[in-house]
Amino acid sequence: MYLSARTQGRLANLIITIAEGEKKTEMVRQVLAEQKMFEPYTAFRRLDQLRTGELTVSDIVEFLADNKIYPTKVQSDYLFRRLDLNRDGRITYPDFVKAILPKEDSRLRQIASLRDSYYIEVNMLLPTEVEWGLSRVFQQEIQNYNSITAAQEILTTSADFTSLDAFRCIDQVYLGYITIDTLQDFLRQNGAKLSFDELTAFFRVVDSDEDGRISYSELLEALTFVPDFFQQERQIANELRRSRERIIQIEREREVLEDLKKSRERVEDLRRSRERLEYMQDLKRSRERIEQLDELRRSRERLDDLRRSRERLEDLKKSRERLSQLEELKRSRQRMEELEELKKSRERQAQIDELRKSRERLEDLRKSRERLEQLEQERKNQEKIEELRKSRSRIEELQKQRRKVEELRTSQERLEQLKKQKEEIELRRSQERLEDLRKSRERLEQIEALRQSREQQRALEELRQSRERVEQLRKSQLRIEQLENERKVLERSRQLERVERELEYERQRSKERLERLELEAELERRARDRALEYEFATQSNFVQSRIYDTPKRYK
């Protein structure tokens, strides 16, 4: 493995502290959202006293001071970074809403966002429960920072710890990024257990781009609060790649345009040939129509003759039909007389049948009465049987309830025994922690000498890295000059003028980045020299405080 078992345990402890801190802040967010008088926009206006539409570090510090919370400069900067989610150096209303509202409970988030806002004047406080809840969210973030920094210091004191080795220990499948499954496997190997909600909470804190994966730069910033210095250079390289891709796309579009022009010329030639063919076809059709008209005239004359003959035939048919109708009327009169006689005979038979049916109905009613009496007796017997069954089922349920009560009593006794065992185990662990802290105090004195040599090596490595960055930026300038030469070749089309403007803009940005990097390198050197002196002064005080404040361990 890349790290020892002890450093891996410290790394797992840091991950657990980050996850649990985010879980606590989520609980505080939900408590704040449940307040009926809480509305995000009015809370944002409470912090934005100058009504600029943005929040600064001083606005947050003033709000906390009003609620008797006094953070240090480092803590206030961390709180500002936590609220500035898009990392543009300012906290707007969308950033504030996304950081303050609950992230796990969508119902509460929707209820809080749909509440009506109310007017609040400058230097006016929110309702007491809302003011307390909002300050409690910020205070919890500060407490999370304190616990994370303590765990970071314990982790970085390990002799074999590096951020790259820590990333490799978690990414054992060599994916190049960390997922929830790989992180869960790492924690299981080190005897730590986190639920799925706690893992998602850790990802909410560390995964800044919210792609469901943790890259090396994101893990580095979470473990050491140090940003990835090569991120700007990667952005420059990505922008150069995008500009190249745009140039290639423009060349392809130019080729497509030329092909379209050729195809248009071909289409025009085809249209002309089609018009000629259509003209010839129209002439042929006109000739055919003339011939058809002649044939129609002849057919019309024939039809007139046929119509005359049809009229004569129809007159003959009408006369025949009248004769047949008269004969049918005679026959129908005879049938009507026969039907009247049949009706009279049928009415007599119907009266006889009704008398017979009435007798049969009386007999059926007598039988139905007898059956009803039998059914009532059977129904009463069934009701008695059902009552007996219900009484038996009630007795069985009471017996089951007695058994459950006895099982609950036994389970409570077992829980009390387990609690006693846990308390004894915690006492033993606290004693072991005290012994470990005593040993760590002795080891820290040995590590101080190693720290001095390591810090000198780090300073040299940072100088080398800054030189490499300058060389890479020079290479980027050479690439920009190559792109300018390519631009001269493509000056004819109007679309390449846009590329020229983009290249000039990128050139200016690269020059500004060179100047910024040089200034940042000088500032970082001075800040690190000061930080080294401050760390040596505070190290002894920290060791004494850690003897009494033992860190928590998790199974």
Side-chain angles (χ1 to χ4, degrees):
M1 297 299 288
Y2 298 101
L3 298 175
S4 63
R6 189 170 185 179
T7 53
Q8 286 184 14
R10 290 177 178 179
L11 178 60
N13 191 11
L14 176 58
I15 292 166
I16 289 166
T17 53
I18 293 168
E20 288 184 348
E22 177 61 21
K23 197 70 179 172
K24 290 177 182 178
T25 53
E26 180 63 21
M27 294 292 289
V28 178
R29 289 192 200 106
Q30 290 179 6
V31 171
L32 176 62
E34 287 174 355
Q35 301 297 327
K36 294 181 180 179
M37 295 298 293
F38 171 71
E39 197 276 322
Y41 185 67
T42 53
F44 181 77
R45 287 175 66 84
R46 162 70 179 88
L47 293 171
D48 187 14
Q49 295 291 333
L50 299 176
R51 300 293 188 264
T52 58
E54 299 175 358
L55 297 180
T56 60
V57 179
S58 61
D59 294 332
I60 297 167
V61 171
E62 287 176 0
F63 172 76
L64 292 172
D66 292 338
N67 290 279
K68 297 181 181 180
I69 299 169
Y70 304 99
T72 61
K73 187 178 180 182
V74 180
Q75 291 172 351
S76 60
D77 291 335
Y78 172 78
L79 186 58
F80 184 83
R81 275 187 270 119
R82 288 287 295 145
L83 295 174
D84 186 13
L85 297 176
N86 56 3
R87 298 186 180 180
D88 57 352
R90 55 181 185 172
I91 299 170
T92 57
Y93 177 66
D95 294 336
F96 180 77
V97 170
K98 197 172 181 181
I100 293 299
L101 290 180
K103 297 180 181 179
E104 292 181 358
D105 195 346
S106 60
R107 184 183 64 82
L108 268 177
R109 184 170 63 249
Q110 188 175 6
I111 290 167
S113 60
L114 292 175
R115 285 180 185 141
D116 295 330
S117 61
Y118 50 91
Y119 180 73
I120 186 168
E121 295 180 354
V122 180
N123 296 324
M124 182 178 175
L125 298 177
L126 293 167
T128 54
E129 62 271 12
V130 179
E131 190 87 9
W132 178 83
L134 188 58
S135 62
R136 180 64 180 158
V137 173
F138 294 156
Q139 189 178 8
Q140 186 62 46
E141 290 288 349
I142 293 166
Q143 289 177 1
N144 294 340
Y145 173 75
N146 294 329
S147 60
I148 290 166
T149 50
Q152 283 177 356
E153 288 177 358
I154 293 168
L155 179 61
T156 52
T157 52
S158 299
D160 58 345
F161 171 75
T162 59
S163 59
L164 185 60
D165 290 336
F167 183 79
R168 287 174 180 171
C169 283
I170 300 171
D171 184 19
Q172 296 178 4
V173 193
Y174 301 104
L175 295 172
Y177 53 85
I178 296 169
T179 61
I180 290 175
D181 295 330
T182 55
L183 183 62
Q184 197 169 13
D185 294 335
F186 171 74
L187 293 172
R188 284 176 184 170
Q189 289 175 4
N190 290 281
K193 292 181 181 179
L194 284 179
S195 62
F196 184 76
D197 293 335
E198 291 174 342
L199 290 170
T200 52
F202 176 76
F203 267 73
R204 278 202 304 273
V205 176
V206 180
D207 188 11
S208 58
D209 54 0
E210 296 180 357
D211 59 350
R213 302 171 179 177
I214 296 173
S215 61
Y216 172 69
S217 60
E218 291 172 346
L219 185 68
L220 177 65
E221 190 172 356
L223 295 180
T224 59
F225 291 146
V226 176
D228 190 3
F229 293 105
F230 294 99
Q231 190 172 6
Q232 294 178 352
E233 296 174 0
R234 288 173 186 166
Q235 290 177 357
I236 293 166
N238 291 325
E239 289 175 358
L240 290 170
R241 287 175 188 170
R242 289 172 186 170
S243 61
R244 282 183 180 177
E245 290 175 356
R246 288 175 187 171
I247 292 164
I248 293 164
Q249 286 179 359
I250 290 164
E251 289 178 353
R252 290 176 182 173
E253 289 175 357
R254 189 179 178 185
E255 292 175 356
V256 171
L257 287 169
E258 290 177 355
D259 293 332
L260 287 170
K261 287 178 182 178
K262 292 177 182 178
S263 62
R264 283 178 183 173
E265 292 175 355
R266 291 175 186 173
V267 168
E268 288 177 356
D269 294 331
L270 290 169
R271 282 179 184 173
R272 290 172 186 171
S273 61
R274 281 181 184 176
E275 289 175 356
R276 290 175 185 173
L277 289 169
E278 287 176 355
Y279 180 70
M280 295 297 289
Q281 288 176 0
D282 291 332
L283 288 171
K284 288 180 182 179
R285 288 172 185 171
S286 61
R287 287 178 184 175
E288 291 176 354
R289 286 176 184 174
I290 291 165
E291 291 176 355
Q292 288 175 0
L293 288 169
D294 292 331
E295 289 179 356
L296 285 168
R297 286 175 187 175
R298 292 171 187 171
S299 62
R300 280 179 184 177
E301 291 175 356
R302 291 174 186 173
L303 285 168
D304 292 331
D305 295 332
L306 290 168
R307 282 175 185 173
R308 290 171 186 172
S309 61
R310 281 180 183 176
E311 288 175 356
R312 291 174 186 174
L313 289 168
E314 286 177 355
D315 293 331
L316 291 168
K317 285 179 181 179
K318 287 177 181 179
S319 61
R320 285 179 183 176
E321 287 176 355
R322 286 174 186 173
L323 291 168
S324 64
Q325 286 176 358
L326 290 168
E327 289 177 356
E328 286 178 356
L329 285 169
K330 288 178 182 180
R331 292 173 185 174
S332 63
R333 283 178 183 177
Q334 291 175 0
R335 289 175 183 173
M336 290 293 288
E337 291 174 355
E338 291 175 355
L339 288 168
E340 286 178 356
E341 291 177 356
L342 288 168
K343 281 181 181 179
K344 290 177 181 178
S345 63
R346 283 179 181 175
E347 287 176 355
R348 291 173 185 173
Q349 288 179 358
Q351 290 175 359
I352 293 163
D353 292 332
E354 285 178 358
L355 290 169
R356 288 177 184 175
K357 287 179 180 178
S358 63
R359 288 177 183 176
E360 290 176 355
R361 286 174 186 171
L362 288 169
E363 291 178 356
D364 291 332
L365 286 169
R366 288 174 185 174
K367 292 178 180 179
S368 62
R369 282 180 184 176
E370 292 175 356
R371 288 176 184 174
L372 286 169
E373 290 175 355
Q374 291 177 359
L375 289 169
E376 285 179 355
Q377 290 178 358
E378 289 177 355
R379 184 175 59 78
K380 290 177 180 178
N381 293 325
Q382 286 179 357
E383 287 177 354
K384 290 177 181 178
I385 292 163
E386 286 178 356
E387 288 177 355
L388 290 169
R389 287 177 182 174
K390 289 179 180 178
S391 61
R392 286 179 183 175
S393 62
R394 288 174 185 172
I395 291 163
E396 289 177 355
E397 288 177 355
L398 290 169
Q399 289 177 355
K400 289 179 181 179
Q401 288 177 358
R402 285 179 182 176
R403 291 173 185 172
K404 288 179 181 178
V405 170
E406 290 176 355
E407 289 177 356
L408 288 169
R409 286 177 183 174
T410 54
S411 62
Q412 286 178 356
E413 291 175 357
R414 290 176 184 173
L415 287 170
E416 289 176 355
Q417 291 177 359
L418 289 170
K419 285 180 181 178
K420 291 177 180 178
Q421 290 176 0
K422 283 182 181 179
E423 290 175 354
E424 291 176 357
I425 291 164
E426 286 177 355
L427 288 170
R428 291 176 185 174
R429 286 180 181 172
S430 62
Q431 291 176 358
E432 291 176 356
R433 287 172 192 168
L434 289 170
E435 291 178 356
D436 291 333
L437 286 170
R438 288 172 186 172
K439 292 177 181 178
S440 63
R441 187 178 179 182
E442 294 175 356
R443 290 176 185 174
L444 282 170
E445 293 175 356
Q446 296 175 359
I447 289 164
E448 284 178 357
L450 292 171
R451 265 193 185 177
Q452 294 176 358
S453 62
R454 279 187 184 176
E455 287 169 354
Q456 290 175 359
Q457 289 177 359
R458 285 179 185 173
L460 292 170
E461 286 177 358
E462 287 171 356
L463 289 171
R464 289 175 187 173
Q465 289 176 359
S466 62
R467 288 176 183 174
E468 289 175 358
R469 289 173 195 165
V470 172
E471 289 177 358
Q472 288 178 358
L473 290 168
R474 287 176 184 171
K475 289 178 182 178
S476 65
Q477 285 182 351
L478 293 171
R479 289 175 186 171
I480 291 165
E481 290 175 359
Q482 291 176 0
L483 291 170
E484 288 178 353
N485 293 324
E486 292 176 357
R487 178 180 57 76
K488 290 177 182 178
V489 178
L490 301 171
E491 283 179 351
R492 295 175 185 177
S493 62
R494 293 179 181 177
Q495 296 177 353
L496 291 174
E497 291 178 358
R498 297 177 183 173
V499 177
E500 289 177 358
R501 292 172 185 172
E502 290 176 356
L503 287 169
E504 289 176 358
Y505 179 70
E506 288 174 356
R507 189 176 180 181
Q508 290 176 1
R509 287 181 70 185
S510 64
K511 287 180 181 179
E512 290 175 357
R513 285 171 185 166
L514 274 170
E515 294 174 357
R516 286 177 185 175
L517 286 170
E518 289 175 356
L519 291 170
E520 286 176 359
E522 291 177 359
L523 292 170
E524 285 173 358
R525 288 173 191 170
R526 294 175 183 175
R528 281 170 186 161
D529 293 331
R530 293 174 184 173
L532 288 170
E533 294 174 358
Y534 181 75
E535 284 178 359
F536 286 119
T538 56
Q539 190 173 5
S540 60
N541 294 325
F542 174 74
V543 171
Q544 292 176 0
S545 63
R546 299 303 288 171
I547 290 169
Y548 298 101
D549 298 328
T550 56
K552 294 182 180 178
R553 288 190 181 178
Y554 299 87
K555 294 183 180 180

